[in-house]
Amino acid sequence: MPKRRVVLTGVGAITPVGNNIPDFWDAVVTGKTGVRLLTAFDCSGFNSHIAAEVKNFDALRYMTSKQDKRLDLFVKFALAAAKIAFEDSGLDSNKMERERIGVYMGSGIGGLHTIEEEHIKYMKTDPAKAPSKISPFLIPMLIVNMASGIVSIELGLKGPNSCAVTACATASNSIGDAFKILQRGDADVMFAGGSEAATTPMGFGGFCALKALSTRNDNPEKASRPFDRDRDGFIMGEGASVVVLEELEHARKRGARIYCEMMGYGMSSDAYHMTAPDPTGDGAVRCMTAALKDAELNAEDVDYINAHGTSTQLNDKMETGAIKRVFGDRAKKIPVSSTKGVTGHLLGATGGAELIACMKAIENQVVPPTINYETPDPECDLDYVPNTARETKVDVVISNSLGFGGHNVTLAIKKFVG
């Protein structure tokens, strides 16, 4: 049977550069970074003092005060982004066939705020009384699937409901899996993406211990510099990203606005190391190749690549090499950029935010820049659209997401043509 066509009809995001899509896109395309000195807690003892934190988030705009007390921050972000996407999609809650609408949302880490707060409370209590001080909401607040579960409950969506947990590939995995659910006919609409809120002493401290974060503490706005020779680590971010994917005829029937068409989904494993990417780029090569094959596209069709581009020495060099292997002589002619200089690295939410940026690139026919690109690296020698957005033809885009554990995901989207 032919695969059903799937289109993107709604988007929502909570990010360090805006809690709505217009603000998010304006920052991404103009290069206004959300990276600052960390304010959530005293990080003076850590080697990095920099993060990309969500600002001015009012949970009560999206939920009741009771829910605000009973949900971890990553679930609050997810619910907010999903409600924004729901409104953007134009779905009518009175006309929805709820059994045919599902949710696929994940998180790389889950409810770390809750875990730390409850553990501190436990350790400060008389051992004889400590068990009674554990919140009955501890487990449902911390488990990763609760983002997807709460979105389903709050929006009344009774179709397929699941989540991916693949580190920084999580949102892209969730979107790709939702895409396949729609293609095979198991649902007509899917809300998909990821959420992360792990900027806590233990979460931040853990990445510091890995020496994965930038220590450019005297100039935080310049700290995230993908593909630049002087890059020294990524910037921990937080937020949520949700896209509404819809079977084409279902979208047409209700007169939905169509942003773009989902075309392909590739995934692979490095099978190499817990945290380091395979330096040969083998996993990323196979992943991009699989996405193009699934989309029935050729390498010559791609107009823009949104790179994972973390601003780490290992990732950026490896991803550059992988792109060159997939696209051959044409690699240096394709605009490649990373938006993480603006947003920081949203971990489990990053792939969805970057797919939204790709959709906006197609909509506006403009490629967002890689900011803070100042000193070329001989081992990173592609066209990274340095510092300034570029107006150009953008009809076919691929977006890469790579995660600890060797997880690789590539999504392919295309300008919608009826």
mmCIF file of all heavy atoms in Angstrom, residues 234-255:
data_model
loop_
_atom_site.group_PDB
_atom_site.id
_atom_site.type_symbol
_atom_site.label_atom_id
_atom_site.label_comp_id
_atom_site.label_asym_id
_atom_site.label_seq_id
_atom_site.Cartn_x
_atom_site.Cartn_y
_atom_site.Cartn_z
ATOM 1 N N PHE A 234 29.325 22.780 24.897
ATOM 2 C CA PHE A 234 27.971 23.226 24.612
ATOM 3 C C PHE A 234 27.395 24.029 25.776
ATOM 4 O O PHE A 234 27.994 24.122 26.851
ATOM 5 C CB PHE A 234 27.076 22.043 24.215
ATOM 6 C CG PHE A 234 26.590 21.162 25.339
ATOM 7 C CD1 PHE A 234 25.450 21.489 26.053
ATOM 8 C CD2 PHE A 234 27.239 19.964 25.656
ATOM 9 C CE1 PHE A 234 24.955 20.660 27.061
ATOM 10 C CE2 PHE A 234 26.764 19.132 26.650
ATOM 11 C CZ PHE A 234 25.622 19.485 27.364
ATOM 12 N N ILE A 235 26.234 24.622 25.553
ATOM 13 C CA ILE A 235 25.529 25.402 26.561
ATOM 14 C C ILE A 235 24.241 24.673 26.909
ATOM 15 O O ILE A 235 23.402 24.424 26.041
ATOM 16 C CB ILE A 235 25.198 26.815 26.044
ATOM 17 C CG1 ILE A 235 26.476 27.558 25.691
ATOM 18 C CG2 ILE A 235 24.386 27.578 27.082
ATOM 19 C CD1 ILE A 235 27.435 27.759 26.836
ATOM 20 N N MET A 236 24.060 24.362 28.164
ATOM 21 C CA MET A 236 22.873 23.641 28.605
ATOM 22 C C MET A 236 21.646 24.551 28.525
ATOM 23 O O MET A 236 21.649 25.669 29.023
ATOM 24 C CB MET A 236 23.085 23.150 30.037
ATOM 25 C CG MET A 236 22.076 22.137 30.496
ATOM 26 S SD MET A 236 22.602 21.452 32.092
ATOM 27 C CE MET A 236 21.172 20.433 32.468
ATOM 28 N N GLY A 237 20.619 24.064 27.868
ATOM 29 C CA GLY A 237 19.380 24.808 27.735
ATOM 30 C C GLY A 237 18.197 24.024 28.272
ATOM 31 O O GLY A 237 18.344 22.927 28.826
ATOM 32 N N GLU A 238 17.002 24.585 28.113
ATOM 33 C CA GLU A 238 15.785 23.945 28.597
ATOM 34 C C GLU A 238 14.612 24.453 27.766
ATOM 35 O O GLU A 238 14.726 25.443 27.033
ATOM 36 C CB GLU A 238 15.563 24.281 30.074
ATOM 37 C CG GLU A 238 15.424 25.771 30.367
ATOM 38 C CD GLU A 238 15.338 26.092 31.850
ATOM 39 O OE1 GLU A 238 15.493 25.175 32.668
ATOM 40 O OE2 GLU A 238 15.110 27.270 32.173
ATOM 41 N N GLY A 239 13.481 23.769 27.874
ATOM 42 C CA GLY A 239 12.295 24.192 27.145
ATOM 43 C C GLY A 239 11.539 23.006 26.581
ATOM 44 O O GLY A 239 11.779 21.849 26.960
ATOM 45 N N ALA A 240 10.616 23.296 25.684
ATOM 46 C CA ALA A 240 9.801 22.249 25.060
ATOM 47 C C ALA A 240 9.470 22.652 23.640
ATOM 48 O O ALA A 240 9.387 23.844 23.316
ATOM 49 C CB ALA A 240 8.516 22.011 25.851
ATOM 50 N N SER A 241 9.266 21.649 22.803
ATOM 51 C CA SER A 241 8.909 21.883 21.403
ATOM 52 C C SER A 241 7.894 20.836 20.973
ATOM 53 O O SER A 241 8.057 19.651 21.258
ATOM 54 C CB SER A 241 10.152 21.806 20.516
ATOM 55 O OG SER A 241 10.850 20.579 20.720
ATOM 56 N N VAL A 242 6.837 21.283 20.315
ATOM 57 C CA VAL A 242 5.763 20.383 19.876
ATOM 58 C C VAL A 242 5.351 20.753 18.457
ATOM 59 O O VAL A 242 5.152 21.935 18.149
ATOM 60 C CB VAL A 242 4.539 20.476 20.806
ATOM 61 C CG1 VAL A 242 3.405 19.575 20.299
ATOM 62 C CG2 VAL A 242 4.903 20.083 22.235
ATOM 63 N N VAL A 243 5.218 19.741 17.613
ATOM 64 C CA VAL A 243 4.648 19.937 16.288
ATOM 65 C C VAL A 243 3.395 19.082 16.161
ATOM 66 O O VAL A 243 3.277 18.026 16.788
ATOM 67 C CB VAL A 243 5.645 19.588 15.162
ATOM 68 C CG1 VAL A 243 6.886 20.459 15.266
ATOM 69 C CG2 VAL A 243 6.030 18.111 15.189
ATOM 70 N N VAL A 244 2.448 19.570 15.377
ATOM 71 C CA VAL A 244 1.242 18.810 15.064
ATOM 72 C C VAL A 244 1.412 18.242 13.671
ATOM 73 O O VAL A 244 1.533 18.985 12.683
ATOM 74 C CB VAL A 244 -0.021 19.695 15.130
ATOM 75 C CG1 VAL A 244 -1.260 18.869 14.779
ATOM 76 C CG2 VAL A 244 -0.173 20.313 16.521
ATOM 77 N N LEU A 245 1.479 16.927 13.589
ATOM 78 C CA LEU A 245 1.577 16.228 12.316
ATOM 79 C C LEU A 245 0.200 15.672 11.963
ATOM 80 O O LEU A 245 -0.524 15.189 12.843
ATOM 81 C CB LEU A 245 2.589 15.089 12.400
ATOM 82 C CG LEU A 245 4.025 15.460 12.782
ATOM 83 C CD1 LEU A 245 4.886 14.206 12.847
ATOM 84 C CD2 LEU A 245 4.609 16.457 11.796
ATOM 85 N N GLU A 246 -0.130 15.708 10.683
ATOM 86 C CA GLU A 246 -1.489 15.351 10.287
ATOM 87 C C GLU A 246 -1.477 14.673 8.926
ATOM 88 O O GLU A 246 -0.736 15.070 8.018
ATOM 89 C CB GLU A 246 -2.329 16.624 10.240
ATOM 90 C CG GLU A 246 -3.809 16.433 10.089
ATOM 91 C CD GLU A 246 -4.598 17.703 10.409
ATOM 92 O OE1 GLU A 246 -3.989 18.708 10.848
ATOM 93 O OE2 GLU A 246 -5.823 17.694 10.192
ATOM 94 N N GLU A 247 -2.304 13.653 8.801
ATOM 95 C CA GLU A 247 -2.477 13.008 7.505
ATOM 96 C C GLU A 247 -3.072 14.021 6.539
ATOM 97 O O GLU A 247 -3.967 14.791 6.884
ATOM 98 C CB GLU A 247 -3.374 11.789 7.672
ATOM 99 C CG GLU A 247 -3.451 10.909 6.444
ATOM 100 C CD GLU A 247 -4.548 11.354 5.487
ATOM 101 O OE1 GLU A 247 -5.592 11.850 5.964
ATOM 102 O OE2 GLU A 247 -4.349 11.206 4.254
ATOM 103 N N LEU A 248 -2.551 14.058 5.322
ATOM 104 C CA LEU A 248 -2.861 15.133 4.388
ATOM 105 C C LEU A 248 -4.355 15.290 4.133
ATOM 106 O O LEU A 248 -4.888 16.407 4.191
ATOM 107 C CB LEU A 248 -2.119 14.896 3.068
ATOM 108 C CG LEU A 248 -2.439 15.881 1.943
ATOM 109 C CD1 LEU A 248 -2.142 17.315 2.364
ATOM 110 C CD2 LEU A 248 -1.666 15.516 0.680
ATOM 111 N N GLU A 249 -5.057 14.214 3.834
ATOM 112 C CA GLU A 249 -6.479 14.348 3.501
ATOM 113 C C GLU A 249 -7.290 14.813 4.701
ATOM 114 O O GLU A 249 -8.266 15.555 4.551
ATOM 115 C CB GLU A 249 -7.022 13.030 2.946
ATOM 116 C CG GLU A 249 -6.425 12.647 1.604
ATOM 117 C CD GLU A 249 -6.499 13.786 0.585
ATOM 118 O OE1 GLU A 249 -7.570 14.440 0.486
ATOM 119 O OE2 GLU A 249 -5.496 14.045 -0.102
ATOM 120 N N HIS A 250 -6.880 14.412 5.899
ATOM 121 C CA HIS A 250 -7.546 14.880 7.117
ATOM 122 C C HIS A 250 -7.355 16.385 7.255
ATOM 123 O O HIS A 250 -8.299 17.124 7.598
ATOM 124 C CB HIS A 250 -6.972 14.149 8.328
ATOM 125 C CG HIS A 250 -7.676 14.443 9.619
ATOM 126 N ND1 HIS A 250 -7.389 15.546 10.392
ATOM 127 C CD2 HIS A 250 -8.653 13.763 10.266
ATOM 128 C CE1 HIS A 250 -8.156 15.546 11.469
ATOM 129 N NE2 HIS A 250 -8.937 14.467 11.415
ATOM 130 N N ALA A 251 -6.141 16.856 6.973
ATOM 131 C CA ALA A 251 -5.859 18.291 7.051
ATOM 132 C C ALA A 251 -6.643 19.065 5.999
ATOM 133 O O ALA A 251 -7.209 20.137 6.275
ATOM 134 C CB ALA A 251 -4.356 18.530 6.877
ATOM 135 N N ARG A 252 -6.692 18.538 4.797
ATOM 136 C CA ARG A 252 -7.439 19.205 3.723
ATOM 137 C C ARG A 252 -8.929 19.290 4.052
ATOM 138 O O ARG A 252 -9.579 20.319 3.810
ATOM 139 C CB ARG A 252 -7.241 18.438 2.410
ATOM 140 C CG ARG A 252 -5.921 18.733 1.703
ATOM 141 C CD ARG A 252 -5.799 17.872 0.469
ATOM 142 N NE ARG A 252 -4.710 18.313 -0.399
ATOM 143 C CZ ARG A 252 -4.124 17.538 -1.288
ATOM 144 N NH1 ARG A 252 -4.499 16.271 -1.423
ATOM 145 N NH2 ARG A 252 -3.156 18.008 -2.054
ATOM 146 N N LYS A 253 -9.455 18.207 4.572
ATOM 147 C CA LYS A 253 -10.890 18.151 4.848
ATOM 148 C C LYS A 253 -11.323 19.230 5.826
ATOM 149 O O LYS A 253 -12.426 19.787 5.700
ATOM 150 C CB LYS A 253 -11.250 16.757 5.381
ATOM 151 C CG LYS A 253 -12.739 16.534 5.572
ATOM 152 C CD LYS A 253 -13.020 15.103 6.009
ATOM 153 C CE LYS A 253 -14.522 14.877 6.187
ATOM 154 N NZ LYS A 253 -14.817 13.479 6.622
ATOM 155 N N ARG A 254 -10.462 19.541 6.793
ATOM 156 C CA ARG A 254 -10.853 20.560 7.773
ATOM 157 C C ARG A 254 -10.304 21.949 7.411
ATOM 158 O O ARG A 254 -10.459 22.898 8.185
ATOM 159 C CB ARG A 254 -10.395 20.162 9.179
ATOM 160 C CG ARG A 254 -8.899 20.173 9.423
ATOM 161 C CD ARG A 254 -8.564 19.793 10.846
ATOM 162 N NE ARG A 254 -7.131 19.915 11.122
ATOM 163 C CZ ARG A 254 -6.544 21.039 11.549
ATOM 164 N NH1 ARG A 254 -7.264 22.124 11.774
ATOM 165 N NH2 ARG A 254 -5.237 21.065 11.768
ATOM 166 N N GLY A 255 -9.667 22.078 6.252
ATOM 167 C CA GLY A 255 -9.168 23.367 5.806
ATOM 168 C C GLY A 255 -7.989 23.873 6.606
ATOM 169 O O GLY A 255 -7.823 25.084 6.803
#
